[in-house]
Amino acid sequence: MGFLDIFKTPRDIAKEEIVEVPWHVLGKMDQLDEIVEESKTKPIAIFKHSTRCGISRGVLKLLEKNYNLTDEQLKLYYLDLIQNRDISNEIASRFKVNHESPQMIVIKNGAVVHHDSHHSIEASHLEKFI
């Protein structure tokens, strides 16, 4: 701790502790084919988020706070359900997972190996798939 650190506010300290989550936006239907192919070399996770839902917002914040994997370990996609309901429906159909919001789906070798919804979503669950 340097001399000038005594002038930092708790907000300044919190900002320094924030680690940027390596989100990839899922916003095009054809990305689903790419995700299936990518999942053959590393696990893929899709976070389905409703921007109108307080529960979804809270789960997202907690996930981001506790997420510590790199893009090389697991590729993390973010799907805005409000703007991309068609993609969400295709995910449910293609991967045989009922739609929920918020929802985390993990794909390995082209198939769903895990999914959580609502308050069951935890960053630590993703670590067992790398």
Side-chain angles (χ1 to χ4, degrees):
M1 181 165 137
F3 172 73
L4 294 178
D5 288 342
I6 62 172
F7 299 108
K8 289 184 179 177
T9 67
R11 181 179 169 99
D12 293 331
I13 293 167
K15 283 182 181 179
E16 290 173 0
E17 293 175 353
I18 293 172
V19 175
E20 191 70 30
V21 175
W23 289 112
H24 297 271
V25 175
L26 175 52
K28 296 180 182 174
M29 190 72 74
D30 60 356
Q31 285 178 276
L32 293 177
D33 292 330
E34 295 169 18
I35 285 170
V36 168
E37 284 306 308
E38 284 179 306
S39 76
K40 295 175 182 175
T41 58
K42 69 177 162 185
I44 304 295
I46 300 171
F47 181 74
K48 293 168 58 175
H49 174 60
S50 172
T51 56
R52 294 181 188 159
C53 175
I55 292 172
S56 192
R57 188 172 18 266
V59 169
L60 175 62
K61 285 182 181 183
L62 192 59
L63 177 69
E64 289 182 323
K65 178 182 176 189
N66 295 313
Y67 191 83
N68 61 6
L69 299 175
T70 66
D71 211 30
E72 289 74 35
Q73 294 172 299
L74 180 138
K75 193 162 182 181
L76 185 60
Y77 283 89
Y78 170 93
L79 176 65
D80 178 339
L81 293 174
I82 304 303
Q83 293 186 8
N84 299 290
R85 186 58 190 219
D86 59 333
I87 297 172
S88 177
N89 290 340
E90 179 62 22
I91 289 170
S93 174
R94 184 182 295 207
F95 297 110
K96 310 293 187 246
V97 177
N98 289 334
H99 164 77
E100 297 190 64
S101 170
Q103 185 174 41
M104 180 69 75
I105 300 170
V106 180
I107 303 164
K108 269 184 112 167
N109 296 316
V112 172
V113 294
H114 179 79
H115 60 91
D116 280 327
S117 68
H118 296 82
H119 294 293
S120 296
I121 297 171
E122 294 183 23
S124 63
H125 292 176
L126 298 174
E127 294 171 8
K128 46 186 171 176
F129 300 102
I130 58 170

